[in-house]
Amino acid sequence: MTNPDIRSLITSKSRPKVTRRDASLSLKRSQEVEEEAADKSEISDADDSAQTNGEPQELQRLQAELDNLPQVGKRLAVHLEQGIRADLLRVCDEEEITPETFIEAAIALLQSKPELKEAVVADAKVRLRTRKRAGLVKRTMALVQKYSS
């Protein structure tokens, strides 16, 4: 008996075709997978039809819950001073929260405390002037180096 080479095995049309896997995370697909598992464990057809009939109610309940939860906006790239960035990450790690939720909570708190918001805005304006000055100094240094070479 001769052994066929690997190339002929790969290109052979006699191999069974495998159906493509649906990688979507849709609720419908996950319920189909659950139904297939139920069939394999010999759950009766009556039980399967009861689950299918409850599907729209469950979707409506989940949609109503989602409508009452806050909607997340687009990603915002934020550049922070190195020490403050490290402090933020340390606090978030200790409290097991994300930097995004920490910032959201801080802004929500500032909105409820106008005097604290004024102090934070005043500090932010000082920091902005400092950053602008740092940018101007860096550009000036780059120009001096370019023309002194």
Side-chain angles (χ1 to χ4, degrees):
M1 181 172 150
T2 62
N3 290 334
D5 67 338
I6 190 72
R7 177 169 289 169
S8 63
L9 287 174
I10 293 173
T11 58
S12 168
K13 301 283 182 182
S14 64
R15 294 184 316 147
K17 296 287 182 189
V18 177
T19 58
R20 286 190 153 268
R21 182 174 71 107
D22 181 14
S24 67
L25 297 176
S26 71
L27 182 60
K28 183 177 180 181
R29 178 64 185 149
S30 64
Q31 288 175 343
E32 288 174 2
V33 170
E34 288 174 6
E35 288 176 5
E36 289 175 9
D39 288 342
K40 289 180 182 178
S41 63
E42 299 176 5
I43 293 179
S44 70
D45 290 336
D47 290 341
D48 287 342
S49 65
Q51 287 178 348
T52 305
N53 291 339
E55 181 178 307
Q57 291 174 347
E58 181 67 13
L59 284 175
Q60 289 174 352
R61 186 188 65 75
L62 289 172
Q63 184 62 48
E65 181 181 355
L66 182 61
D67 292 341
N68 291 325
L69 294 171
Q71 300 296 314
V72 177
K74 292 182 180 179
R75 179 177 290 263
L76 175 66
V78 179
H79 300 277
L80 302 174
E81 188 178 313
Q82 290 178 358
I84 291 180
R85 181 181 186 279
D87 290 343
L88 173 64
L89 294 176
R90 181 185 46 76
V91 168
C92 291
D93 283 343
E94 288 172 359
E95 299 298 329
E96 296 181 354
I97 57 174
T98 64
E100 292 84 1
T101 55
F102 181 87
I103 292 169
E104 285 175 0
I107 291 172
L109 181 64
L110 289 176
Q111 289 173 343
S112 67
K113 299 192 177 197
E115 67 285 346
L116 185 57
K117 181 179 177 181
E118 288 176 17
V120 170
V121 169
D123 186 60
K125 288 180 179 180
V126 170
R127 290 174 180 275
L128 178 61
R129 283 193 297 270
T130 305
R131 284 186 180 199
K132 285 184 176 183
R133 179 66 185 163
L136 178 64
V137 169
K138 287 178 184 178
R139 282 192 302 277
T140 304
M141 288 174 59
L143 286 172
V144 168
Q145 289 176 349
K146 180 180 177 181
Y147 291 113
S148 66
S149 311

